[in-house]
Amino acid sequence: MPVSTNGYPRRRGRAGYPARYSAAALLGRGLTHRPWPPAWRSHPLKSSYDVVIVGGGVHGLAAAYYLAANHGITDVAVLDKGYMGSGGSGRNTAILRSNYLTPEGVRFYDRSVQLYQRLATDLDYNVMFSQRGHLTLAHNDTSLRTMRWRAEVNKAEGVDSEVIGTDEIRRLAPFLDLTQEARYPVLGALYHPPGGIIRHDAVVWGYARGASARGVHIHQDTEVTGIDVADGRVRAVRTARGDIATRTVLNATAGWSTLIADMAGVRLPVTTYPLQAAVTEPVKPFLSTVIVSGTLHVYVSQTDRGELVFGASVDPFTSYSSRGSLEFIEGLAGNVLQLMPALSKVRLLRQWAGLCDMTPDFSPIMGMTTVAGFLVDVGWGTYGFKAGPVSGEAMAQCIASGRPPGIIAAFGLERFAAGALVGEKGAAAVGH
Ligand SMILES: Cc1cc2nc3c(=O)[nH]c(=O)nc-3n(C[C@H](O)[C@H](O)[C@H](O)COP(=O)(O)OP(=O)(O)OC[C@H]3O[C@@H](n4cnc5c(N)ncnc54)[C@H](O)[C@@H]3O)c2cc1C
């Protein structure tokens, strides 16, 4: 069957799969009451696959999609113990940016922003990427110095970032308290125009649909319980629904990644912390940029529906629990009001939590491990959603070629033994 530029079949029958998402298709189905086919197909679990990806978040699904789309590798299974996007990928605050601190980080996240810019077309799925600008506030000289440093590294790598003063901040975000009476007066900000927000569920569903359309098998409710390794090489994956023979396993399980790595006998320098977020009732649009304050441990953005989305830094203890806490919401509300006192009457709608796989240098761990055929794409902490496309692309290349591509060369597991850390704490601690 002829294939269009985005890889979907050109001609699709009445039950055509996947359905093309277009205004004409919407009108046609509305008039005829024809139901939409499921976004991705169900398959029986096979007893062997060329590649098994553990974790159905943005990272696992993007890797599966690019394996099929870029390398023609389609005998791939994505396994998740819950539903697609049930981990951090369905719980994050969907902030995208590339204004990191190290050249390796800036280049890597910039590639992801570029892929995100064309993702709606590539996937034939509206992912609602809104590049509305990203402001990181400086409340003291040390932050301002780090921001100048970041701005220079960003510019050297071709990424649009600059330090701006309070007049410009006032123009971009008039509701911020920029007075000298504020508890932590604002001295300036790092302004990053390409940053913004996206619809996280759409990204997950779009990748799942695109991968499924190219032959990848997606298995929800399929918990991995063990990994068989013999003679230093992966042989099989054990699941609650049966065993799968395979020579390649990709661990893309973020907050659970050490548990999966332990099954293969690989130790990861990853610690899991909960991260909470909250959203208000919808209010009239008034905030057109993302605002981050590292000093106040808080960030704010406004969705297209008008809700204010608030986030913070991780909970101060390790845990696998994803329950929200009253302490968090109290502290968060206090910090938000220091930034924008006018919000005191806005009501919170809900709060939630997810798990974050923190590394010592706030950079990811990607590539091969000491066990042949066992690869990792982990260490995504509080900032990994934005990296989904570039990570998927890079891990797919890594699996297809047997070598990590240059763009992830600095993020290998071996860097911890070699002492070659990629320190991103100054750019990744709060401003996800
Ligand atoms: C509240 C919050 C806000 C955030 N905000 C941002 C943000 O604004 N921007 C940003 O870039 N990042 C943000 N993040 C971080 C981001 O969400 C994650 O880094 C990213 O989603 C990780 O994606 P992933 O695909 O690697 O893992 P996940 O989406 O967590 O997927 C891992 C999957 O593995 C599955 N799994 C685990 N164990 C097993 C098993 N034994 N068998 C089978 N499946 C298993 C889980 O069910 C899960 O679905 C935020 C995170 C949280 C919690």
Side-chain angles (χ1 to χ4, degrees), residues 370-394:
T370 46
V371 172
F374 184 73
L375 293 91
V376 288
D377 172 13
V378 302
W380 290 113
T382 61
Y383 34 81
F385 194 78
K386 69 178 68 59
V390 66
S391 305
E393 183 185 57

Tab-separated table of all heavy atoms in Angstrom, residues 370-394:
chain	number	residue	atom	x	y	z
A	370	THR	N	26.688	-3.006	31.415
A	370	THR	CA	27.656	-4.109	31.417
A	370	THR	C	27.006	-5.427	30.997
A	370	THR	O	27.705	-6.406	30.724
A	370	THR	CB	28.256	-4.266	32.823
A	370	THR	OG1	27.186	-4.208	33.761
A	370	THR	CG2	29.257	-3.164	33.114
A	371	VAL	N	25.679	-5.491	30.991
A	371	VAL	CA	24.984	-6.694	30.513
A	371	VAL	C	24.633	-6.490	29.041
A	371	VAL	O	23.904	-5.554	28.699
A	371	VAL	CB	23.702	-6.949	31.343
A	371	VAL	CG1	22.872	-8.073	30.727
A	371	VAL	CG2	24.048	-7.263	32.790
A	372	ALA	N	25.160	-7.334	28.172
A	372	ALA	CA	24.906	-7.168	26.726
A	372	ALA	C	23.411	-7.275	26.446
A	372	ALA	O	22.726	-8.161	26.959
A	372	ALA	CB	25.672	-8.233	25.950
A	373	GLY	N	22.912	-6.345	25.667
A	373	GLY	CA	21.487	-6.367	25.304
A	373	GLY	C	20.591	-5.692	26.317
A	373	GLY	O	19.381	-5.578	26.078
A	374	PHE	N	21.143	-5.236	27.443
A	374	PHE	CA	20.313	-4.518	28.431
A	374	PHE	C	20.693	-3.038	28.380
A	374	PHE	O	21.795	-2.650	28.758
A	374	PHE	CB	20.530	-5.073	29.841
A	374	PHE	CG	19.629	-4.427	30.872
A	374	PHE	CD1	18.277	-4.723	30.916
A	374	PHE	CD2	20.136	-3.500	31.786
A	374	PHE	CE1	17.437	-4.117	31.842
A	374	PHE	CE2	19.307	-2.894	32.721
A	374	PHE	CZ	17.954	-3.203	32.752
A	375	LEU	N	19.757	-2.227	27.864
A	375	LEU	CA	20.026	-0.794	27.695
A	375	LEU	C	19.172	0.018	28.668
A	375	LEU	O	18.094	-0.432	29.081
A	375	LEU	CB	19.702	-0.348	26.260
A	375	LEU	CG	20.608	-0.918	25.170
A	375	LEU	CD1	20.028	-2.216	24.619
A	375	LEU	CD2	20.782	0.081	24.043
A	376	VAL	N	19.654	1.223	28.967
A	376	VAL	CA	18.885	2.082	29.875
A	376	VAL	C	18.620	3.448	29.243
A	376	VAL	O	19.433	3.977	28.486
A	376	VAL	CB	19.607	2.291	31.235
A	376	VAL	CG1	19.571	1.029	32.065
A	376	VAL	CG2	21.034	2.787	31.049
A	377	ASP	N	17.453	3.982	29.582
A	377	ASP	CA	17.075	5.353	29.225
A	377	ASP	C	16.351	5.870	30.472
A	377	ASP	O	15.125	5.845	30.544
A	377	ASP	CB	16.164	5.331	27.988
A	377	ASP	CG	15.578	6.697	27.689
A	377	ASP	OD1	16.047	7.692	28.274
A	377	ASP	OD2	14.628	6.770	26.893
A	378	VAL	N	17.150	6.278	31.472
A	378	VAL	CA	16.598	6.563	32.796
A	378	VAL	C	17.276	7.805	33.384
A	378	VAL	O	18.100	8.441	32.733
A	378	VAL	CB	16.810	5.348	33.749
A	378	VAL	CG1	16.175	4.093	33.185
A	378	VAL	CG2	18.302	5.108	34.003
A	379	GLY	N	16.913	8.115	34.632
A	379	GLY	CA	17.515	9.272	35.299
A	379	GLY	C	16.864	10.563	34.842
A	379	GLY	O	17.514	11.598	34.733
A	380	TRP	N	15.548	10.507	34.638
A	380	TRP	CA	14.844	11.658	34.065
A	380	TRP	C	14.337	12.638	35.086
A	380	TRP	O	13.796	13.694	34.726
A	380	TRP	CB	13.717	11.168	33.132
A	380	TRP	CG	14.358	10.588	31.938
A	380	TRP	CD1	14.361	9.285	31.549
A	380	TRP	CD2	15.201	11.291	31.027
A	380	TRP	NE1	15.165	9.141	30.447
A	380	TRP	CE2	15.688	10.358	30.112
A	380	TRP	CE3	15.606	12.621	30.914
A	380	TRP	CZ2	16.553	10.708	29.083
A	380	TRP	CZ3	16.452	12.978	29.897
A	380	TRP	CH2	16.915	12.021	28.997
A	381	GLY	N	14.490	12.283	36.351
A	381	GLY	CA	14.186	13.231	37.422
A	381	GLY	C	12.896	13.983	37.198
A	381	GLY	O	11.855	13.412	36.855
A	382	THR	N	12.980	15.293	37.360
A	382	THR	CA	11.793	16.144	37.269
A	382	THR	C	11.693	16.798	35.895
A	382	THR	O	10.897	17.709	35.704
A	382	THR	CB	11.868	17.254	38.334
A	382	THR	OG1	13.036	18.053	38.066
A	382	THR	CG2	11.973	16.694	39.730
A	383	TYR	N	12.516	16.376	34.931
A	383	TYR	CA	12.668	17.150	33.687
A	383	TYR	C	12.644	16.287	32.431
A	383	TYR	O	13.034	16.754	31.368
A	383	TYR	CB	13.988	17.934	33.738
A	383	TYR	CG	15.071	17.178	34.488
A	383	TYR	CD1	15.802	16.186	33.879
A	383	TYR	CD2	15.302	17.429	35.850
A	383	TYR	CE1	16.740	15.464	34.573
A	383	TYR	CE2	16.245	16.704	36.565
A	383	TYR	CZ	16.967	15.726	35.920
A	383	TYR	OH	17.881	14.996	36.619
A	384	GLY	N	12.175	15.048	32.534
A	384	GLY	CA	12.351	14.127	31.417
A	384	GLY	C	11.298	14.161	30.334
A	384	GLY	O	11.494	13.576	29.266
A	385	PHE	N	10.168	14.802	30.584
A	385	PHE	CA	9.144	14.771	29.534
A	385	PHE	C	9.634	15.491	28.283
A	385	PHE	O	9.430	15.035	27.163
A	385	PHE	CB	7.823	15.377	30.019
A	385	PHE	CG	6.707	15.039	29.075
A	385	PHE	CD1	6.125	13.788	29.099
A	385	PHE	CD2	6.271	15.953	28.128
A	385	PHE	CE1	5.139	13.437	28.189
A	385	PHE	CE2	5.286	15.616	27.216
A	385	PHE	CZ	4.715	14.362	27.251
A	386	LYS	N	10.289	16.609	28.508
A	386	LYS	CA	10.774	17.393	27.358
A	386	LYS	C	11.779	16.617	26.518
A	386	LYS	O	12.008	16.941	25.368
A	386	LYS	CB	11.390	18.709	27.839
A	386	LYS	CG	12.693	18.513	28.604
A	386	LYS	CD	13.315	19.808	29.033
A	386	LYS	CE	12.542	20.541	30.079
A	386	LYS	NZ	12.348	19.771	31.340
A	387	ALA	N	12.394	15.594	27.113
A	387	ALA	CA	13.440	14.847	26.415
A	387	ALA	C	12.895	13.639	25.656
A	387	ALA	O	13.665	12.933	25.009
A	387	ALA	CB	14.490	14.382	27.423
A	388	GLY	N	11.586	13.408	25.723
A	388	GLY	CA	11.012	12.199	25.111
A	388	GLY	C	11.434	11.987	23.658
A	388	GLY	O	11.989	10.934	23.302
A	389	PRO	N	11.209	12.963	22.778
A	389	PRO	CA	11.525	12.725	21.358
A	389	PRO	C	13.009	12.461	21.098
A	389	PRO	O	13.364	11.510	20.393
A	389	PRO	CB	11.062	14.023	20.685
A	389	PRO	CG	9.997	14.554	21.585
A	389	PRO	CD	10.449	14.200	22.971
A	390	VAL	N	13.893	13.302	21.658
A	390	VAL	CA	15.320	13.113	21.359
A	390	VAL	C	15.814	11.803	21.965
A	390	VAL	O	16.640	11.097	21.366
A	390	VAL	CB	16.169	14.317	21.831
A	390	VAL	CG1	16.170	14.467	23.333
A	390	VAL	CG2	17.595	14.194	21.325
A	391	SER	N	15.291	11.437	23.131
A	391	SER	CA	15.717	10.179	23.752
A	391	SER	C	15.250	8.999	22.928
A	391	SER	O	16.006	8.034	22.716
A	391	SER	CB	15.147	10.050	25.161
A	391	SER	OG	15.503	11.158	25.913
A	392	GLY	N	13.989	9.065	22.462
A	392	GLY	CA	13.470	7.973	21.634
A	392	GLY	C	14.295	7.820	20.372
A	392	GLY	O	14.680	6.707	19.987
A	393	GLU	N	14.592	8.952	19.758
A	393	GLU	CA	15.371	8.926	18.516
A	393	GLU	C	16.768	8.338	18.776
A	393	GLU	O	17.251	7.481	18.034
A	393	GLU	CB	15.489	10.358	17.989
A	393	GLU	CG	16.205	10.490	16.676
A	393	GLU	CD	16.392	11.962	16.274
A	393	GLU	OE1	17.004	12.740	17.061
A	393	GLU	OE2	15.940	12.339	15.205
A	394	ALA	N	17.404	8.805	19.866
A	394	ALA	CA	18.771	8.364	20.163
A	394	ALA	C	18.810	6.895	20.596
A	394	ALA	O	19.697	6.136	20.189
A	394	ALA	CB	19.381	9.255	21.242
